[in-house]
Amino acid sequence: MLVESVDVSDAGVAVRACTRFGVPAACTGCGWLSEWCHSRYVRRLADVTLAGRSVRIDLFVRRLYCENAACPKVTFAEQVAGLTVRYQWRTPQLQRLVEDVGVVLAGRGGARMLRILNIRLSRCTVLSQLMRVPLPPLVTPRGLGVDDFALYSDTYGTLLVDTITRLPLTLWEGRDAEQLSRWLREHPGVEVACRDGSLTYRQGITGGAPDAVQVSDRFHLWQGLSRRVQDIASAHRGCLPAALPPAGESGAAPAEENTGNTAEDSWAARHARRLFEAVQALTRTGRSHSSVARELSLDRRTVGKYARAHTWQEVMCRPPRKPSALDPYLDYLQQCWDEGQHSAKILHEELQTKGYFGHYQRVKMAVAPLRRGLPLDEPREQPPSPREAARWITTHPPAPPQLPHQRPLPRLLEHCPELRQTHDLVRRFAAMLDNHDAAPLPGWLNDLTDSGLAPLVGFAGALRENRHAVARGITTPYSSGVNEGRITDVKLQKRLMAGRAVVPLLRHRVVLIAHLRRRYTDRLTASPR
């Protein structure tokens, strides 16, 4: 190729070039070399930018006759290696850039990024170029990870990941067993399949790859146990205030004082009592919260709140105020008020000189009870939620606290024998996971059944049906942790496309972006430092 001229202007760089005359070119149909020129024409190519300027190449190429009589082509256009591709006005380098940007940023974001690079393409063009990129050839993995993810609303999808290479293989909409079995039959050779405790995936793997070893993922086992612990904590919600330190140790007011201070003759108390009695009467008959909400014209969450309460006073209890930046200055605020300074603005200015950086409105709200003859509303420690109590039970035991009021879990376990029993069972299962020892599993399952706690009894039944996969999940190093990481990546790609990605586009981006990252990482690793 000969370069005839190069014109540089503010609009961009224009290059005029032509191919050499008399040089044979290969036919695009049969590969036969030919020098018989039919005509010449100009191909206009776009290339990557140069110093922020767009580059246009006006290339004069030949159209040649094919001298092979058996070739169906009569004429063909010669191609310049590394510069031209059939039916494309972008150079291969620019085409790779457009495809990579589309893989990383999708349509709208990719078009914006290319516009910054002075490459004008619409979002639809970026998406069409992305979908033209072929997916990498699928190699049947030895280890397969199967997990589901929320696609949109109540629709779920299935993601398959190679546990050895940690690369996603494919994804589809739905999580039925037949579709998974069909994929496994089309790709025989899977030796180990990691999954959660879902019956659907268990049946799908059994039907599609009966010889594969199924492993129940440790993360999902622990997650399932944690949910049962939270259910038990919710059932014993009345025991949770026992985790608070006594009033003499922390200065916190007992939780019962809030109930006792409720004015039982107020309109709000009468209204709460009527709703509590109505909701409790309907829910005792076995009706669902949605049905009760429709009959009483209430929100479903309101019905759930009254249904979970043991007394109507629990609904009337005002939640304790959370600590704020003003708390260290409450004594000084009370002193100034007693000395006769009742202006919230002046009090705020004085507190600023003491180091308070909060807003004036908070000071105004703090002195509001003083204007009504009430004491300052001091922060009170609130009881732990069932989720927080479950987290205390399922997390690794921390170092022994130094002060008595820093021991909420021991106080809670001492007060509630059911939670203590749950805590002991959880610690035993954690020891099995830490030691990779499944020998105590049968005895532990028997203890779950004999515990009398309905959530743990149901959990024991589910594990017994899947006991072989559970034992492998405890003892083998296989897990679905790589699936969880890839599902996080799927959610990221969905958010980048504002949740409007169809399944083929989402599959293309998830698979291609993982391979793109892998190539980039391998390139950095292989490059000398």
Side-chain angles (χ1 to χ4, degrees), residues 83-276:
L83 187 62
T84 62
V85 180
R86 296 178 63 194
Y87 309 116
Q88 188 152 299
W89 58 269
R90 286 182 289 272
T91 62
Q93 188 176 4
L94 178 58
Q95 180 65 19
R96 286 193 297 269
L97 175 63
V98 172
E99 293 172 354
D100 291 347
V101 170
V103 168
V104 176
L105 298 177
R108 198 180 299 274
R112 290 172 179 170
M113 175 57 69
L114 291 173
R115 195 175 300 119
I116 295 174
L117 300 176
N118 206 8
I119 301 171
R120 304 288 174 173
L121 289 178
S122 67
R123 59 183 179 88
C124 296
T125 302
V126 176
L127 287 179
S128 66
Q129 297 303 313
L130 166 62
M131 295 303 295
R132 287 175 55 186
V133 180
L135 291 176
L138 198 152
V139 180
T140 302
R142 290 179 51 250
L144 178 68
V146 185
D147 206 351
D148 60 348
F149 64 95
L151 195 56
Y152 44 79
S153 186
D154 295 331
T155 304
Y156 285 80
T158 299
L159 176 66
L160 304 184
V161 181
D162 188 340
T163 58
I164 306 300
T165 63
R166 310 180 71 86
L167 291 174
L169 300 174
T170 185
L171 61 88
W172 61 72
E173 181 178 349
R175 48 181 178 181
D176 55 311
E178 180 56 34
Q179 195 167 4
L180 178 58
S181 297
R182 190 185 315 116
W183 190 93
L184 289 171
R185 286 191 294 268
E186 294 172 355
H187 304 85
V190 175
E191 300 177 5
V192 179
C194 301
R195 55 168 177 80
D196 56 10
S198 170
L199 177 63
T200 301
Y201 290 148
R202 189 195 319 170
Q203 294 174 346
I205 296 173
T206 303
D211 297 332
V213 176
Q214 299 190 34
V215 178
S216 188
D217 180 49
R218 292 187 294 274
F219 166 76
H220 290 95
L221 290 175
W222 190 258
Q223 186 183 53
L225 180 60
S226 300
R227 288 174 179 171
R228 270 64 172 195
V229 172
Q230 185 172 344
D231 294 340
I232 296 173
S234 299
H236 295 80
R237 188 185 298 266
C239 300
L240 299 183
L244 297 177
E249 294 182 5
S250 64
E256 291 78 4
E257 292 184 4
N258 298 331
T259 306
N261 294 336
T262 304
E264 298 190 5
D265 57 346
S266 64
W267 176 88
R270 293 192 297 269
H271 177 69
R273 189 185 303 112
R274 284 196 302 269
L275 284 183
F276 176 78

Side-chain angles (χ1 to χ4, degrees), residues 349-368:
E349 293 175 352
E350 292 185 5
L351 291 178
Q352 284 182 321
T353 61
K354 297 286 185 179
Y356 174 67
F357 296 100
H359 197 269
Y360 155 76
Q361 191 68 24
R362 186 176 294 275
V363 179
K364 180 181 177 181
M365 294 174 61
V367 299

Side-chain angles (χ1 to χ4, degrees), residues 388-408:
E388 188 175 4
R391 187 173 68 249
W392 291 346
I393 294 174
T394 56
T395 52
H396 193 276
Q402 302 297 326
L403 300 177
H405 68 273
Q406 295 176 347
R407 296 196 294 264

Side-chain angles (χ1 to χ4, degrees), residues 326-338:
L326 188 61
D327 294 341
Y329 306 95
L330 291 180
D331 294 339
Y332 179 75
L333 198 62
Q334 181 70 50
Q335 178 184 350
C336 293
W337 185 272
D338 295 339

